[in-house]
């Protein structure tokens, strides 16, 4: 009986998809800085440090977003050879990362109005409605080139996925007991790496939005961060509520900051 060799094709394919997503996230962050560079007062090396420090935060967000794709690709079973199954994985990957990249590209424009990365409070804003439906056409009219760049990036993502799939997953799987064991070990190993990546490393506490301050000045944290990361970090977090201890009349009796100068 011929001894089966470890099949790393699905592991390789998964790793390449994560790398592709990482590169596209980096490009979106570089464009974010390029279009908003006048809002940051950074030296050349400070800019380089902020851009590359963001890779850590990109990887965390990408792994969270693509954990379903990772599981679907690495859980060993015969359906992985099915074109329908692979198409499902393909469009989950494409749609998930396209939406994530859309949020990054939207912040290229939106940041100049808020001076911060978009957080989960955007969903509250959308649920209220207001003028949001009127603002979108205006944004598309004024910043049409951002939409075109995003479309080109998504098109590139689809083409790259198809190319990698054709080159890496060219053969069909042959399953036996040993291959199931090996594929199971690869799955466990990959999930372990993914957890480390989601946490941002082996440190005691996972990275968060405050961690970005270790790599850039306060006003440049937005370069280090990415929008999917800030949205996920703020989901379920309670907003600070302003507690009014005194009204205006009471404050005026305690301390009045206005001084009136009378001419003698």
């Amino acid at each position: 009986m011929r001894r089966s060799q470890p099949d790393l094709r699905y592991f390789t394919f998964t790793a390449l998809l994560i790398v592709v997503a990482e590169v596209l996230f980096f490009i979106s962050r570089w464009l974010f800085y390029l279009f908003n560079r006048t809002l940051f007062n950074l030296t050349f090396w400070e800019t380089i440090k902020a851009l590359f420090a963001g890779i850590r935060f990109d990887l965390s967000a990408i792994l969270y977003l693509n954990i379903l794709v990772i599981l679907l690709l690495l859980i060993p079973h015969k359906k992985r050879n099915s074109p329908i199954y692979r198409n499902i994985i393909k469009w989950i990957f494409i749609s998930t990362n396209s939406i994530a990249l859309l949020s990054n590209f939207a912040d290229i424009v939106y940041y100049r109005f808020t001076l911060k990365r978009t957080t989960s409070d955007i969903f509250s804003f959308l649920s209220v409605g207001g003028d949001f439906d009127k603002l979108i056409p205006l944004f598309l009219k004024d910043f049409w080139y951002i939409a075109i760049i995003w479309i080109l990036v998504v098109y590139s993502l689809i083409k790259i996925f198809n190319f990698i799939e054709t080159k890496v997953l060219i053969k069909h799987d042959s399953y036996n007991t040993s291959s199931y064991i090996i594929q199971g070990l690869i799955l466990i190993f990959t999930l372990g790496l993914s957890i480390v990546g989601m946490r941002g490393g082996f440190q005691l506490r996972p990275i968060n939005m405050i961690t970005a301050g270790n790599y850039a000045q306060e006003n440049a944290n937005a370069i280090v961060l990415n929008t999917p990361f800030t949205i996920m970090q703020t989901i379920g977090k309670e907003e600070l509520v302003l507690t009014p201890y005194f009204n205006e009349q009471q404050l005026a009796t305690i301390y009045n900051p206005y001084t009136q100068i009378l001419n003698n």
Side-chain angles (χ1 to χ4, degrees), residues 13-160:
F13 184 58
T14 303
L16 289 174
L17 291 183
I18 298 301
V19 170
V20 169
E22 181 71 63
V23 171
L24 295 180
F25 265 61
F26 185 87
I27 291 173
S28 68
R29 185 170 56 260
W30 177 75
L31 291 172
F32 172 85
Y33 169 74
L34 185 65
F35 283 103
N36 295 288
R37 62 187 182 279
T38 56
L39 300 176
F40 305 106
N41 185 23
L42 299 176
T43 65
F44 174 78
W45 290 113
E46 287 174 337
T47 302
I48 295 297
K49 180 182 178 182
L51 288 172
F52 281 91
I55 293 176
R56 185 184 183 191
F57 297 84
D58 289 347
L59 183 60
S60 177
I62 289 167
L63 290 171
Y64 272 112
L65 291 167
N66 291 282
I67 187 62
L68 177 59
V69 171
I70 293 172
L71 289 172
L72 291 175
L73 280 172
L74 294 183
I75 293 176
H77 57 89
K78 296 180 180 180
K79 290 294 184 181
R80 291 197 298 184
N81 293 328
S82 167
I84 295 177
Y85 185 82
R86 289 186 181 178
N87 271 329
I88 291 173
I89 295 175
K90 172 183 175 179
W91 290 112
I92 291 175
F93 177 80
I94 297 298
S95 58
T96 300
N97 291 279
S98 296
I99 294 171
L101 288 165
L102 177 61
S103 67
N104 275 339
F105 278 88
D107 257 356
I108 292 176
V109 175
Y110 197 51
Y111 177 80
R112 64 193 66 179
F113 300 102
T114 62
L115 297 181
K116 72 180 185 72
R117 284 280 187 174
T118 298
T119 56
S120 61
D121 57 9
I122 188 66
F123 299 120
S124 300
F125 181 70
L126 292 174
S127 64
V128 172
D131 295 331
F132 191 77
D133 57 336
K134 299 178 182 178
L135 290 175
I136 292 179
L138 293 176
F139 277 130
L140 291 176
K141 178 182 177 182
D142 294 336
F143 303 101
W144 54 268
Y145 47 90
I146 299 296
I148 290 178
I149 295 174
W150 174 72
I151 292 172
L152 291 175
V153 167
V154 173
Y155 176 77
S156 300
L157 182 62
I158 296 172
K159 299 296 287 186
I160 293 171

